[in-house]
Amino acid sequence: MSTNDRTALLPGMAVFARVVEAGSFSAAARQLGTTASAVSRQVARLEQALSLRLLERTTRQLRLNEAGHEFYAHCRSMLDAADEALAVGDRLMRRPRGLVRMSVPKAYGKFVISPLMPGFLHRYPEVDVQLQISDQSPSLVEDGFDLLIKVTDQPPGGLAGKPLAAVRQLLCASPTYLREHGTPQHPQALLRHSCLFLGERPGDDRWHFSNGAQQEAVTVRGRYISNHSEARLEAALADLGITVLPHFTAERALAEGRLVEVLAPWRYTGSYQGAAWLLWRQNLHLPPKQRVLIDYLSEALAQG
């Protein structure tokens, strides 16, 4: 018997178990909201498919024979397993519990998301979080993630999502570097400075700025190039030059005076900007474990 044939017999097995437990076709029919003849036909089709007689029928009662007793035990086990499977969904959808897998970019994960996780885990003791901090942008479906954070000005289509917070880029340098080399007052003055830039794609050394209606573009040079903001942060703190950093990467060093913002009236308009988008698969029935994490991050970052 093929898998499809076996699957087609499952409803009949459930009806058969109901007949045994109700004691008659008519009693089972009342419980199932159908007719006794319909129930009898389903059991007859089941017996025909199995080439077995399961019930001995008399005018007064139904009686299980030996094969029927053994077959009923398996039907009952099937229904018990179904009840347990349905209980999983009910349990997971009733309150926040279970594992949430989330992937975030390295710098945003370290400086923004990771510090928020202890508060979330204390608030929701039945929810576990697996946080992958990586600049490799995974697939929610193929890589098995529940949530994904992506910094972009255009979130990908086909996914549900919401912006958590704006991401701004700042020009920064250490006070020591600026004392030794001067503080630029205009983007074109960067031509005389050592600039620490991304270097990931052609054109990363061309910095774009706006100041109202004014637009400027400068092809910068420097002795140190890195595609990671933490590396450029460390280089700037070591007085190696002027760099562009996400505001969340530079925030602490700026507050402590170890970095100074440069060209503050000008807005850097290059790459890695827009917003940090929290993304998930479109699902009408989002599990509570995901919903509470989405709400928690939205609330925490809105306050920030």
Side-chain angles (χ1 to χ4, degrees):
M1 185 180 294
S2 70
T3 300
N4 288 341
D5 291 338
R6 289 197 298 268
T7 301
L9 294 179
L10 295 179
M13 293 169 66
V15 170
F16 172 73
R18 184 65 64 94
V19 169
V20 172
E21 292 163 4
S24 69
F25 291 133
S26 57
R30 285 193 297 272
Q31 294 176 12
L32 294 169
T34 186
T35 64
S37 60
V39 171
S40 177
R41 285 194 299 271
Q42 273 196 281
V43 173
R45 283 196 296 270
L46 185 63
E47 290 178 319
Q48 183 179 5
L50 296 170
S51 299
L52 282 174
R53 181 175 287 278
L54 302 172
L55 292 167
E56 302 299 335
R57 299 160 175 83
T58 69
T59 55
R60 292 187 176 182
Q61 64 177 1
L62 296 175
R63 183 175 61 81
L64 284 171
N65 58 25
E66 182 180 359
H69 274 291
E70 185 175 346
F71 189 72
Y72 167 72
H74 290 296
C75 292
R76 185 66 260 168
S77 296
M78 177 194 75
L79 292 172
D80 289 342
D83 287 340
E84 291 177 9
L86 293 172
V88 170
D90 180 62
R91 185 177 73 252
L92 293 178
M93 294 303 290
R94 189 170 58 247
R95 67 178 188 271
R97 63 183 302 169
L99 175 67
V100 180
R101 297 187 70 230
M102 179 167 63
S103 178
V104 300
K106 281 185 179 178
Y108 200 79
K110 176 179 178 178
F111 289 101
V112 180
I113 299 299
S114 184
L116 297 175
M117 287 299 97
F120 174 80
L121 294 170
H122 285 303
R123 183 181 296 185
Y124 297 101
E126 293 187 90
V127 180
D128 302 329
V129 176
Q130 180 180 342
L131 184 65
Q132 174 173 290
I133 297 179
S134 171
D135 285 334
Q136 299 299 317
S137 185
S139 164
L140 282 170
V141 177
E142 295 177 7
D143 297 308
F145 285 95
D146 301 298
L147 298 172
L148 169 67
I149 292 179
K150 186 178 182 66
V151 176
T152 178
D153 56 1
Q154 185 63 50
L159 297 175
K162 66 187 303 185
L164 292 175
V167 172
R168 295 178 294 108
Q169 297 282 349
L170 307 174
L171 257 68
C172 305
S174 69
T176 299
Y177 175 86
L178 295 176
R179 279 197 302 271
E180 292 177 355
H181 300 277
T183 301
Q185 303 299 318
H186 189 276
Q188 295 301 327
L190 293 171
L191 293 171
R192 299 190 296 274
H193 286 269
S194 174
C195 295
L196 318 172
F197 57 92
L198 191 67
E200 204 166 46
R201 296 186 297 268
D204 280 343
D205 59 346
R206 189 158 179 81
W207 289 358
H208 296 262
F209 301 88
S210 69
N211 183 2
Q214 287 184 274
Q215 306 290 322
E216 294 285 344
V218 185
T219 300
V220 298
R221 292 173 296 172
R223 296 180 55 216
Y224 188 61
I225 303 166
S226 174
N227 69 340
H228 202 277
S229 62
E230 281 188 80
R232 298 196 306 278
L233 169 65
E234 292 169 0
L237 291 171
D239 313 321
L240 290 180
I242 299 172
T243 191
V244 176
L245 295 173
H247 71 278
F248 51 80
T249 302
E251 185 175 31
R252 182 171 179 178
L254 289 169
E256 293 172 352
R258 294 183 296 141
L259 285 183
V260 176
E261 187 175 356
V262 177
L263 292 176
W266 291 84
R267 185 170 67 89
Y268 176 82
T269 58
S271 61
Y272 200 70
Q273 308 202 73
W277 280 81
L278 183 57
L279 305 167
W280 60 91
R281 293 184 294 276
Q282 291 179 341
N283 188 344
L284 293 177
H285 306 289
L286 197 64
K289 64 180 182 179
Q290 286 178 235
R291 172 53 58 193
V292 293
L293 183 51
I294 292 169
D295 292 344
Y296 178 84
L297 292 176
S298 299
E299 177 187 345
L301 294 176
Q303 292 175 352

